[in-house]
Amino acid sequence: MASEALYINDRITLAGWELTEQFVLAGGPGGQNVNKVATAVQLFFSLQNSPSLNERVKANAARLAGRRLSKDGVLMIEASRFRSQDRNREDARERLKELILEAAAPPPPPRRKTKPTKGSIERRLKEKSGRSEVKKMRGKPGGD
């Protein structure tokens, strides 16, 4: 079942044919409604075969997806938080959007090594020698 396109950001838009939705019975509270109406949504997205994403985003998304990603590279997001089918559908699409946005985020800048200042080195050594003196005073007194 194809749906409308999912806009991620100004560079990434997932076409409607890439997303497949399946409606299933949801568990949990809801009484008669939950037993009769398929309100939970399973959103399937073929991550490995998507032409909309570059390789870096695909690799990051696969790492973030964890157990939600099948061996075939298909990502499944299940949404059953709400009682209505439409709200669960929006929730699943929003969660997919958040996952792809997080995967598309630029990597953090590399850490720059810093050297301790001369004053901090001197303070550390002075504190060490002071601690050494305190520990020496704890020993048995030497007899003269």
Side-chain angles (χ1 to χ4, degrees):
M1 174 174 157
S3 57
E4 65 270 4
L6 179 62
Y7 175 79
I8 306 293
N9 63 18
D10 56 343
R11 286 177 284 138
I12 303 172
T13 302
L14 303 179
W17 60 267
E18 293 185 77
L19 303 172
T20 307
E21 294 169 341
Q22 184 176 344
F23 300 100
V24 294
L25 290 175
Q32 191 87 23
N33 184 60
V34 82
N35 296 331
K36 294 172 78 174
V37 184
T39 55
V41 178
Q42 290 179 337
L43 179 67
F44 296 96
F45 172 61
S46 181
L47 189 64
Q48 300 301 329
N49 302 327
S50 175
S52 306
L53 304 175
N54 62 34
E55 292 304 315
R56 184 184 71 84
V57 175
K58 286 179 186 179
N60 288 345
R63 184 178 43 81
L64 289 169
R67 293 182 58 200
R68 295 178 288 182
L69 191 69
S70 72
K71 287 186 173 77
D72 304 329
V74 177
L75 175 68
M76 184 191 79
I77 295 179
E78 187 163 352
S80 60
R81 202 181 324 181
F82 302 104
R83 287 182 60 172
S84 88
Q85 196 178 72
D86 288 336
R87 290 196 50 201
N88 280 331
R89 191 167 174 255
E90 290 171 15
D91 183 41
R93 292 168 70 88
E94 188 62 35
R95 284 167 42 198
L96 176 62
K97 179 179 178 180
E98 288 170 7
L99 184 126
I100 293 176
L101 279 174
E102 191 174 342
R111 182 183 176 276
R112 292 174 56 193
K113 294 179 183 175
T114 58
K115 284 176 67 175
T117 62
K118 198 168 188 175
S120 68
I121 293 172
E122 289 174 6
R123 284 190 298 273
R124 183 178 62 85
L125 293 175
K126 185 177 177 185
E127 188 179 325
K128 280 174 67 111
S129 62
R131 179 68 29 206
S132 170
E133 289 298 321
V134 167
K135 289 188 174 189
K136 278 182 193 168
M137 297 300 286
R138 290 183 189 155
K140 291 184 180 175
D144 289 330

